[in-house]
Amino acid sequence: MADDVNRPCRYRSPRRQEQAEQTAGRIRDAAAALFRERGYDGASITAIAERAGVAAETVYARLG
């Protein structure tokens, strides 16, 4: 019985996947816009995150 309690929940959520793809798209769009406006060196992770409406950690997690 203890094995049942400790086993991770495995499921797929199409809605969650869609949200993740939208977030990644917002990050890519924000980065592209900032690269055009400021150049590569002027587009910080913080600026990209702010423009995309996400945390800087999300930028790192989604795009490496």
Side-chain angles (χ1 to χ4, degrees):
M1 185 150 166
D3 290 336
D4 292 336
V5 173
N6 294 325
R7 189 173 15 172
C9 179
R10 296 175 195 250
Y11 64 92
R12 292 185 183 255
S13 169
R15 177 68 182 133
R16 179 66 196 110
Q17 182 63 33
E18 181 182 323
Q19 289 172 331
E21 290 170 8
Q22 289 172 352
T23 297
R26 286 198 327 270
I27 293 168
R28 284 191 299 272
D29 291 347
L34 286 168
F35 293 155
R36 285 190 301 274
E37 293 170 14
R38 302 179 184 180
Y40 184 76
D41 290 335
S44 67
I45 294 296
T46 301
I48 292 168
E50 287 175 2
R51 173 96 38 120
V54 299
E57 291 81 4
T58 302
V59 176
Y60 285 113
R62 292 298 301 164
L63 304 179

